[in-house]
Amino acid sequence: MDARRRRAFSFIERLAGGPARLKIIIALASVLGLQGAATGAIGSMSEALERGLHLSKTDIGLILACSLLAGALGSLPFGWLVDRIARTRILAWAICAWGVAMVLSACATGFVFLLFSQLLLGGVLACATPSVASLVGDVFPQTERGKIYSDVLAGELIGTGIGYLGAGALATWSWRAGFAALSLPAFALAWWFGRLREPARGGRGVL
């Protein structure tokens, strides 16, 4: 079995173009996957939240709408920052903030508390897409960017699905556990990006 796993992993590495490229693809896909899981957490745990915090479906819808609006507004300053500051550093701090927002959501005591924690989450999640797109453009050659971005998006869908199902399953026991569980990979991913080297801009950091 170990030999089969090694062969499978070597095959994946060859498809990616080497271990360094595979590492970056996994990191970027993990960012978008965690973003999707965090965005969908409220929806996957809506029934548990309605019971636990005595919320109505209108309350849940309002929280989701406000979080998306915060993300739309947050994308504007993050897009400006991505062009001027090290993207790996931005992602490290922003993903850490995702984790904090998830912990705050797990500690929510009512509608207002949960609303503000989700507003924070929506705002900092906005850094993911512009940062990932910018890094793909500088780390991978122009002739491969479409393929690489599709690989990253595939990882996003997988991560979103896992997070959505995991949070929903945990919510049957405790909705607080569903939020808390999503904070753990956020802190791990923030540490990972804090250790990644920032690529040169203008396509000069191609691996």
Side-chain angles (χ1 to χ4, degrees):
M1 184 62 70
D2 288 340
R4 288 182 180 178
R5 281 199 294 265
R6 285 196 296 270
R7 286 198 296 270
F9 192 72
S10 295
F11 176 71
I12 294 172
E13 280 189 341
R14 288 196 298 273
L15 285 179
R21 288 161 59 100
L22 179 61
K23 177 182 177 182
I24 299 298
I25 291 171
I26 291 174
L28 298 181
S30 298
V31 170
L32 295 185
L34 188 58
Q35 178 198 35
T39 302
I42 288 284
S44 67
M45 299 189 293
S46 59
E47 292 186 4
L49 287 167
E50 288 170 21
R51 293 192 302 270
L53 293 178
H54 308 292
L55 304 178
S56 66
K57 294 189 183 301
T58 302
D59 293 333
I60 297 293
L62 181 60
I63 291 172
L64 280 169
C66 289
S67 179
L68 292 173
L69 178 60
L73 295 175
S75 65
L76 301 176
F78 274 119
W80 184 85
L81 286 172
V82 161
D83 289 334
R84 290 161 177 80
I85 302 175
R87 291 144 300 176
T88 53
R89 187 185 311 165
I90 293 174
L91 279 171
W93 284 106
I95 295 169
C96 187
W98 301 0
V100 171
M102 281 298 184
V103 171
L104 290 175
S105 297
C107 297
T109 55
F111 171 76
V112 174
F113 195 141
L114 185 60
L115 174 63
F116 278 99
S117 63
Q118 288 295 301
L119 283 173
L120 170 62
L121 179 65
V124 291
L125 282 175
C127 80
T129 303
S131 298
V132 167
S134 179
L135 286 168
V136 167
D138 282 336
V139 174
F140 298 99
Q142 185 176 359
T143 54
E144 295 183 75
R145 286 173 192 162
K147 173 186 175 300
I148 296 297
Y149 203 68
S150 67
D151 293 340
V152 171
L153 291 178
E156 174 192 8
L157 295 175
I158 292 170
T160 299
I162 292 173
Y164 192 90
L165 290 174
L170 284 171
T172 61
W173 171 59
S174 168
W175 59 267
R176 297 185 189 276
F179 281 123
L182 287 174
S183 71
L184 299 177
F187 292 127
L189 197 58
W191 175 83
W192 191 0
F193 269 92
R195 294 171 58 86
L196 283 179
R197 180 179 61 85
E198 173 73 7
R201 293 184 183 268
R204 293 180 291 110
V206 170
L207 291 173

